[in-house]
Amino acid sequence: GAGVSQSPSNKVTEKGKDVELRCDPISGHTALYWYRQSLGQGLEFLIYFQGNSAPDKSGLPSDRFSAERTGGSVSTLTIQRTQQEDSAVYLCASSLGTGADWQYFGPGTRLTVT
Amino acid sequence: AQKITQTQPGMFVQEKEAVTLDCTYDTSDQSYGLFWYKQPSSGEMIFLIYQGSYDEQNATEGRYSLNFQKARKSANLVISASQLGDSAMYFCAMREGQRLQAQLWSRKSGAAGNKLTFGGGTRVLVKP
């Protein structure tokens, strides 16, 4: 079946502009996660959605970052007034959300802020 | 303090030989899960292997095995018979707060029990 998909694969934007990154999780996965990977670094947790529960936003680095998940499926990560330090690969993952399940990752969106 | 430490930033391995990637972790939880992911140059994170803290046997998946030493808080990945396609970044990750209750796994609520905390990664280059 289809894996996690993300769009766009690459995004170049000017400093100060807003960007939206999209994630389509695996069908039937109730849990969805956003991570950020800066150049040469490990992954940093951003936000977590589980079913219809309120998202856990504890990893968002500033109030310029927000995310929503519509209908328990597709998620959009929005970064307002982008800064150069926002340049990174943004990875989305989904999981069944039950038991000792593991997370399946999408290919990521490479964001470059110029 | 770092929760997941991968002390080898990069290593070379000869094709067909085995390689061990180190991972140590820090947690006060009794129950947790440990994961290894592979990230090739394409950027996608590929799940390799999982070890639960209460699992008595070391996890194995094909050419991947996990050398789990709970007392030392280490979860090293062993790749046997290395192939050129194994060249990639490898990340060790932990999920805290899994709790074994009568064969059922449950977690702390929210991201605390679900997010993965990653190490800095080890880059492996397999030489022909």
Side-chain angles (χ1 to χ4, degrees), chain B residues 66-90:
Chain B
L66 203 150
N67 183 3
F68 181 47
Q69 298 188 39
K70 194 171 181 178
R72 295 185 177 185
K73 293 188 175 179
S74 75
N76 298 340
L77 176 71
V78 180
I79 307 173
S80 62
S82 296
Q83 302 173 357
L84 296 178
D86 294 335
S87 294
M89 281 287 286
Y90 289 81

Side-chain angles (χ1 to χ4, degrees), chain B residues 33-88:
Chain B
L34 295 158
F35 302 76
W36 278 92
Y37 282 85
K38 171 184 179 181
Q39 187 178 42
S41 57
S42 60
E44 190 166 356
M45 296 288 283
I46 302 168
F47 166 76
L48 295 178
I49 196 166
Y50 165 81
Q51 179 86 41
S53 60
Y54 283 102
D55 293 342
E56 295 184 354
Q57 304 275 350
N58 283 347
T60 60
E61 288 288 344
R63 294 186 299 109
Y64 304 107
S65 60
L66 203 150
N67 183 3
F68 181 47
Q69 298 188 39
K70 194 171 181 178
R72 295 185 177 185
K73 293 188 175 179
S74 75
N76 298 340
L77 176 71
V78 180
I79 307 173
S80 62
S82 296
Q83 302 173 357
L84 296 178
D86 294 335
S87 294

Side-chain angles (χ1 to χ4, degrees), chain A residues 4 33 35 37 40-45 48 50 56 58 91 97-107, chain B residues 35 37 39 42-45 47 50 89 91 95 98 105 107 109-112 114-120:
Chain A
V4 178
Y33 315 76
Y35 293 86
Q37 185 176 27
Q41 302 296 313
L43 276 69
E44 171 192 14
F45 166 78
Y48 160 70
Q50 172 62 57
D56 188 315
S58 58
L91 287 152
T98 59
D101 60 307
W102 46 83
Q103 297 172 21
Y104 295 85
F105 283 79
Chain B
F35 302 76
Y37 282 85
Q39 187 178 42
S42 60
E44 190 166 356
M45 296 288 283
F47 166 76
Y50 165 81
M89 281 287 286
F91 291 96
R95 184 173 66 206
Q98 286 179 292
W105 293 90
R107 299 201 187 97
S109 62
N114 288 279
K115 69 175 182 178
L116 293 174
T117 301
F118 285 82

Side-chain angles (χ1 to χ4, degrees), chain A residues 5-86:
Chain A
S5 61
Q6 292 185 247
S7 61
S9 54
N10 280 285
K11 176 72 176 178
V12 180
T13 189
E14 292 181 354
K15 178 181 174 181
K17 296 284 180 70
D18 298 351
V19 295
E20 285 189 352
L21 312 180
R22 177 187 167 105
C23 171
D24 281 273
I26 293 173
S27 177
H29 280 191
T30 62
L32 187 147
Y33 315 76
W34 283 97
Y35 293 86
R36 177 170 70 174
Q37 185 176 27
S38 301
L39 185 63
Q41 302 296 313
L43 276 69
E44 171 192 14
F45 166 78
L46 296 178
I47 189 169
Y48 160 70
F49 295 89
Q50 172 62 57
N52 296 321
S53 302
D56 188 315
K57 307 176 183 180
S58 58
L60 295 178
S62 78
D63 58 8
R64 295 186 296 104
F65 288 72
S66 64
E68 63 178 20
R69 188 178 184 192
T70 54
S73 181
V74 172
S75 176
T76 302
L77 176 69
T78 301
I79 309 173
Q80 296 178 309
R81 305 181 302 282
T82 52
Q83 303 293 314
Q84 288 186 331
E85 60 263 28
D86 299 335

